[in-house]
Amino acid sequence: MTVAALDDYPEPMKSASSAFQASLKLGTTKGIDRSRAVLAMAQALEQSFDDILEANTLDLEASREMAVPELILDWLKLTPTRLETTVEILQRLGEISDPLRRVRNADYQPEDSQSYSQLMPLGVIGFIYEAFPDLGAIAAGLCIKTGNSIILKGSTEASHSNAAIAQALQSGIIEVGLPPGCVELVTTEHGGSLRDLITQDQYVNLVIPYGRSSLVQQVMRQATCPVLKSAMGNCYLYWSLNGSLEMVRWMILDSHESEPDPVNAIEKVLIHRQAMPSSLAVLWNSLKEKGFEIKGDEELVEAFPQLRLVKDEEWVNPYLTKTVAFKLVDGLETAIAWINRHSSGHADSIATESYQESRQFALGVNSASTYINTSPRFSRNPSRGDTVFLGMSNQKGHRRGFISLETLTTVKHIIQGNGRF
């Protein structure tokens, strides 16, 4: 992500203050009004396809001239299909039930009083994202649905696309009578640096960075606001002796199918040392036919010289491409220990027909989610259930796992007395 030099220009503070004032009104609106706002955003976005695609073409041309990596260009490039998917997600957000005001019983009841708790908005959320201009719209939909204002801060590579999308979202917001500050856009052109935004802790209640790990770590180091880390790639799979070759092959291939970002893609595979060499060769050839690059540890490269050697630092870093590295381990306990030290910690898998192994793996792996004999493939708009996901978080702080509507809420405790004193 290209970050502007720090200066004293007050644009981020203006945006943060505007979003804060808008959040005070938005947080008290009815669920039906917030749903209408999200649906209006979807309609405005759909009507702006031509303008957004034209802006995106400008971004792509400028990025190619600046020799931006192909990975970022893939994330940056919008298509009618990607925009239609975004509109569908916003429409679904507008139709699902209101996530706020849900009353829950409290764990304790004071004498002569009744207590309960309910979900409430966080307030103002800053979304820092690298390329992925369509994610700005999805994040805005999630925030408006939960009664939060959002401040969008995209990378310079997507500046024209982000501006066009934000303009469409704001027009939808205004159409239903909500203040335009519900969706703010901080741009480099306005003099707003990353640090300027993520240090506005008097206004901003949560910051969500989304992109490569370098961006996430930068936000974590500089922010004075609470941060919800997101994670992408570097997910592990342990192939047990009790797991089938076809299961492993399908899990790897399917996990890489999420678009436009391989959030839960299996990039590292730990293999039991007693695995049959013929099975490994069949798997590797099958993956190569699908365009994958195969790498191996020293033992595997010695036995199969056609493999490329994995460097030590690669075990802890995501590839974010169709690359899979393989390593031999002594068994399940060794695999769990390796995953806990090297995985990104948000989605790890096991292929085994042993119930005992699956339970040991699920409880022993220190990750936000574990997958047993199933693909960890990520979907923002799953066909089942009543929610939409922005991404995955690997931290144990504010929330962990899927970043959903409930992730963007907090709990308020209410104690109702009966007048006795």
Side-chain angles (χ1 to χ4, degrees), residues 15-30:
S15 294
S17 177
S18 177
F20 175 73
Q21 294 300 324
S23 72
L24 298 179
K25 179 178 180 180
L26 184 60
T28 59
T29 56
K30 296 179 180 179

Side-chain angles (χ1 to χ4, degrees), residues 246-265:
E246 281 305 310
M247 175 64 73
V248 169
R249 176 183 177 276
W250 171 75
M251 289 173 69
I252 294 173
L253 292 176
D254 191 73
S255 72
H256 282 260
E257 290 300 311
S258 61
E259 294 180 347
D261 44 343
V263 178
N264 288 0

Side-chain angles (χ1 to χ4, degrees), residues 329-345:
V329 294
D330 293 327
L332 178 59
E333 291 186 2
T334 307
I336 292 173
W338 182 272
I339 290 171
N340 287 340
R341 286 198 308 271
H342 299 87
S343 146
S344 54

Side-chain angles (χ1 to χ4, degrees), residues 260-312:
D261 44 343
V263 178
N264 288 0
I266 295 171
E267 298 183 337
K268 312 290 163 55
V269 179
L270 304 180
I271 312 166
H272 196 287
R273 195 174 301 279
Q274 297 177 10
M276 295 292 291
S278 58
S279 296
L280 299 182
V282 170
L283 175 62
W284 294 337
N285 289 334
S286 178
L287 293 177
K288 287 179 180 178
E289 290 176 358
K290 297 293 184 178
F292 282 79
E293 179 182 359
I294 309 300
K295 295 187 175 184
D297 66 358
E298 292 183 0
E299 288 185 75
L300 287 172
V301 170
E302 185 176 349
F304 302 91
Q306 70 271 24
L307 297 180
R308 287 187 58 189
L309 180 64
V310 180
K311 298 177 182 178
D312 290 342

